[in-house]
Amino acid sequence: MSMISPHVGARRRNFVGFAHRLHQWLGAARERRRVRREMAALSHLSRHLLRDMGLEEYAAPREPVQWRQLP
C-alpha cells in the first residue's frame, strides 16, 4: 500500500504577487507622505500667494469688502 501526500496537488503560493502588492502598498504610502509634506508647505504660504497661484481652496476664505458710506 502506498501513501499519497495531501500536499501533492496543492497550489503553490505566489510570492511574486505578494512582493508586487507589497511594492504597490509601499509606493502608495510614499505618495501619501509626499502629499502631506506638500500640504504642510502650502499651509505656510500667505493667502494672497495661494490665490495668485490658483490654489484658492487652500487659502482662508476672502473677507467681504466693506465700503465706507459717504455722509
Side-chain angles (χ1 to χ4, degrees):
M1 195 162 157
S2 63
M3 292 279 298
I4 298 176
S5 173
H7 304 293
V8 169
R11 183 176 163 209
R12 300 188 79 181
R13 290 178 137 177
N14 190 359
F15 288 108
V16 175
F18 174 75
H20 181 68
R21 283 192 303 267
L22 179 64
H23 183 68
Q24 285 179 332
W25 183 80
L26 290 173
R30 185 181 314 115
E31 179 67 17
R32 286 190 303 268
R33 284 192 303 271
R34 184 188 64 78
V35 168
R36 255 187 306 214
R37 271 195 309 271
E38 289 180 1
M39 294 297 287
L42 282 177
S43 70
H44 296 296
L45 293 176
S46 65
R47 291 183 193 119
H48 69 278
L49 285 176
L50 288 171
R51 287 189 191 110
D52 290 345
M53 293 185 330
L55 300 172
E56 293 89 5
E57 64 269 14
Y58 300 110
R62 292 184 183 210
E63 296 186 18
V65 177
Q66 296 183 2
W67 295 95
R68 197 172 81 184
Q69 298 266 335
L70 294 175

